[in-house]
Amino acid sequence: LGAALLAAVLLGSPRAANAQPFQGVYVNLGAGYDLVPDSGAAPPSGFSGSNIQLRRDDGFAGLGSFGYAFGNGFRLELEGSYRHNGLNGLTGTTSPTSATGTIQNYGVMTNLLFDMDIGQSWLYPYLGGGVGYGWDRLSGARLSQAGTSFSSTDSAGGFAYQAIAGLSFPVSGVPGLSVTAEYRYHSVVGDETFHGTTPSGTASLSLGTQHDHDFMLGVRYAFGVTPPPMPTPVPTPAAAAAPAPAPARS
């Protein structure tokens, strides 16, 4: 979706994209909607089924970042992120399951982004990606299937990466301030194992790669940005001198 939006903007622009003339330190804050697909799961002993997946409720995503723009369109930043989702249950089991509790993701990412000048002073698209580490935490989690249950409050983590596509809208009255709208695809790779208990003793729940689709609004402020110079007024030619009156004649 984000890539299609940016392609439409670029194809409709009157000239090729150039690097945005923006340089210096900046900070960024964003928040929005976290859309989550099901993820593969190896359930605790006692849960029966095939191709079992954990279903999460859509939730909230927020982030803050600190970075530097090099003046040639590229930006490098360090980001901290947070995502919060409720647990909905397991799919693929032989009998229905229910779930309570939440799963929360904490991430630390290093991002590289590129801003583009498409010839519109009010709009700058950007693309980027990042790598880092993500922690998932089950909090008060309880999965129940007929005859058994699993409870856990535990954390696990792994390598994470993300792809970013966004639009920034400079605020003309405040140099350096921009409003942003962006899409992020975020993923924590690999198996994560959460330890807990069942009525028969200790057990574990393993989750496959986690995927998140984030739709976010934010603000970005770049320090040291000066307002554009005022246009130089064009001097007007001096008014021609009025002719001297002719001498009076009788």
Side-chain angles (χ1 to χ4, degrees), residues 18-30:
N18 297 316
Q20 180 183 356
F22 159 50
Q23 183 174 5
V25 175
Y26 68 90
V27 293
N28 179 59
L29 294 173

Side-chain angles (χ1 to χ4, degrees), residues 15-21 72 114-118 124:
R15 60 188 178 91
N18 297 316
Q20 180 183 356
N72 58 0
F114 182 73
D115 295 311
M116 293 172 280
D117 183 353
I118 59 171
Y124 292 97

